[in-house]
Amino acid sequence: MTADAAALMDADTGVFYYVKNGQQRRAPASLTKVMTAILALELADPEEEITVSRRAASVWAGSIIDLRANERIKLGELVKAALICSANDATVAIAEGVAGDHDTFVRWMNAKALLLGMVRTRFANTNGYSHPSHFSTAADLAYLARYAMRNPEFARLVQTRAATIHWVAPQRTMQIENTNQLLHENFPGITGVKTGTTSAAGQCLIAAVSQRGRHLISVVLHSDGRYWDTRRLLSWGMEVLRERTACVAGEYYTRLRVREGRLPDVPLVTDRALVVVLPAGEEGLLQKEVTLRAAPVAPVRFGTPLGEVVFTWRGQELGRVGLVAGREVERLPWHARFWRWQ
C-alpha cells in the first residue's frame, strides 16, 4: 500500500475492514466534487438552465470544459462534467446556479458534511483546489461516497465511461471520458466513483465495486499508484471477507426474572437470524453485548420484546438482534400473590 491514508468500507453496513491513517486530515483534491455533485442533485432540478458567470468562465487550471461567460447550459450537464471528466469550471457554475453564489454553496457543503458525520472535513471550494482550510479524511470520504452512491443519478454518472456534454445556447457539444481508469479496464464489478489529483493531495481515488452480492467502497489518498493500491485493496476485500452466521432465529441467550409469574423467569431467544461479514480467521473477534429490559410483570406473552444483543468486531457494530420471550409465563392467581406479599 503506497497511499499515505486509505480505507475499505462495506457499503451496506458502514463497517471498515481496513484503515490506514483513516482519521488523518489530508487534501482531497477533486474527490471534493462528490459533495458538490450530490448537493446539486438533491437541491436543484437537473433540467434547470444555468447562465455561466464570468467567475466560472475564468477557471482555467486543471480539467475544464471551457465554459464561456453568458452561455447557457443545463445543471445536469454541469454535474455530468464534474463527475465524469472532473471539470473544475463546471463546479463553480453549479454552485452559482444552485445557491446564487459560490461561497454560499460552500457553506452548504460544510453543513452537509456535518450532517453526514464528516467531523474532520472542511471545504473551502467546490472543486478541490489546494487551500489550507480545505481537507478531509479517508474515513469521511468513504462515508460521503456511501451516501452519494444511494442516489441513482449519481451512481449512474460515476460509472459512465464516456458521454457528450450539450450546451443550450449557443449550441455546441463536447465529448468527455471518465478519468477513472478502472472503468476503462473493466475491473470486475467496478461502479465508480471519483479521481482526484493535485500536487498537495497526490493521487487520490474513491472506488466502489459490487460482486457476489457484496458492495465495497475504497479510498486512497496521496498514493504513488492509486489504481494499484485500489485494485489490491478491493481484491483483498472480495477474497478474504466471508459471511458468518452470528445467530439463528430462536437461539437461546439468557433468562429474565418475571414478577408475579407462575414461573420465576422467562427464557430469552433471538427474534431473527443475523449474518455478518468478517475477514477469514477473525471469527474469534466477534463479540456480543446483551442488554435487557426491566423485569416484566406477568403475564408475559410469547415473543414479547425484552432485550437485544449487539454484535461487534474490533469496536464496530455489525448488527443487532432483538431478544424476545421464548415462552408464555402466566400470572399467579390473586390468592397466591396475596400470600407472596405477606
Side-chain angles (χ1 to χ4, degrees):
M1 174 65 64
T2 71
D4 289 342
L8 179 67
M9 171 195 276
D10 185 314
D12 293 324
T13 64
V15 172
F16 286 96
Y17 292 108
Y18 176 86
V19 176
K20 176 183 179 181
N21 298 325
Q23 303 297 340
Q24 186 181 84
R25 290 177 172 177
R26 306 202 63 86
S30 288
L31 305 187
T32 301
K33 291 164 186 162
V34 173
M35 178 63 86
T36 304
I38 193 61
L39 265 188
L41 292 172
E42 290 181 343
L43 298 178
D45 183 355
E47 293 298 310
E48 179 183 348
E49 291 185 9
I50 306 297
T51 299
V52 178
S53 70
R54 291 182 180 274
R55 178 174 181 174
S58 68
V59 176
W60 59 271
S63 176
I64 61 174
I65 53 171
D66 190 25
L67 290 177
R68 301 162 193 173
N70 298 319
E71 64 183 0
R72 298 201 312 278
I73 185 171
K74 290 183 178 180
L75 176 66
E77 297 298 295
L78 294 171
V79 173
K80 185 195 300 183
L83 289 177
I84 296 177
C85 70
S86 202
N88 292 316
D89 50 356
T91 69
V92 176
I94 288 170
E96 293 177 335
V98 174
D101 68 85
H102 178 271
D103 294 342
T104 296
F105 190 86
V106 172
R107 288 194 290 272
W108 293 356
M109 293 170 66
N110 286 314
K112 185 71 171 183
L114 289 177
L115 288 173
L116 295 178
M118 301 169 63
V119 296
R120 292 178 175 82
T121 293
R122 182 167 179 81
F123 299 112
N125 54 61
T126 57
N127 46 33
Y129 282 165
S130 297
H131 187 283
S133 297
H134 193 94
F135 50 79
S136 189
T137 70
D140 278 3
L141 290 166
Y143 287 129
L144 174 59
R146 182 190 182 208
Y147 174 82
M149 288 295 282
R150 295 173 180 171
N151 182 292
E153 180 62 9
F154 180 94
R156 183 186 71 82
L157 288 172
V158 296
Q159 61 181 312
T160 300
R161 291 174 174 79
T164 303
I165 304 297
H166 300 267
W167 276 257
V168 175
Q171 291 187 356
R172 64 185 176 102
T173 61
M174 176 183 289
Q175 304 298 315
I176 60 172
E177 287 192 353
N178 202 304
T179 56
N180 184 356
Q181 292 304 308
L182 294 181
L183 288 169
H184 301 291
E185 296 171 6
N186 293 314
F187 183 87
I190 188 73
T191 58
V193 175
K194 187 73 190 72
T195 61
T197 311
T198 64
S199 57
Q203 296 181 33
C204 304
L205 177 63
I206 301 174
V209 296
S210 295
Q211 290 184 30
R212 303 187 298 275
R214 191 164 300 151
H215 311 283
L216 299 178
I217 292 172
S218 68
V219 180
V220 297
L221 303 178
H222 207 276
S223 169
D224 293 335
R226 61 186 168 198
Y227 297 114
W228 185 86
D229 282 341
T230 297
R231 289 189 206 97
R232 185 181 182 191
L233 199 53
L234 293 174
S235 296
W236 174 84
M238 287 297 175
E239 290 171 6
V240 307
L241 296 180
R242 298 285 186 272
E243 289 187 347
R244 295 288 183 266
T245 300
C247 66
V248 297
E251 182 176 339
Y252 169 79
Y253 260 78
T254 186
R255 307 187 77 85
L256 183 62
R257 184 172 71 89
V258 177
R259 296 160 55 195
E260 301 181 11
R262 288 183 177 271
L263 297 174
D265 54 29
V266 62
L268 300 187
V269 299
T270 53
D271 63 359
R272 65 183 180 90
L274 177 67
V275 175
V276 298
V277 177
L278 292 171
E282 298 211 358
E283 297 83 358
L285 298 180
L286 181 66
Q287 297 184 331
K288 312 167 190 178
E289 180 179 345
V290 174
T291 303
L292 302 179
R293 297 186 181 181
V297 178
V300 176
R301 300 306 176 203
F302 175 78
T304 300
L306 293 171
E308 70 176 359
V309 55
V310 179
F311 297 88
T312 61
W313 169 78
R314 294 187 179 274
Q316 300 180 87
E317 182 178 324
L318 299 182
R320 56 182 63 201
V321 172
L323 294 176
V324 300
R327 61 161 296 167
E328 291 190 2
V329 178
E330 298 294 338
R331 196 175 191 188
L332 283 169
W334 69 268
H335 54 82
R337 297 199 305 274
F338 174 79
W339 288 111
R340 178 174 291 183
W341 294 334
Q342 300 306 306

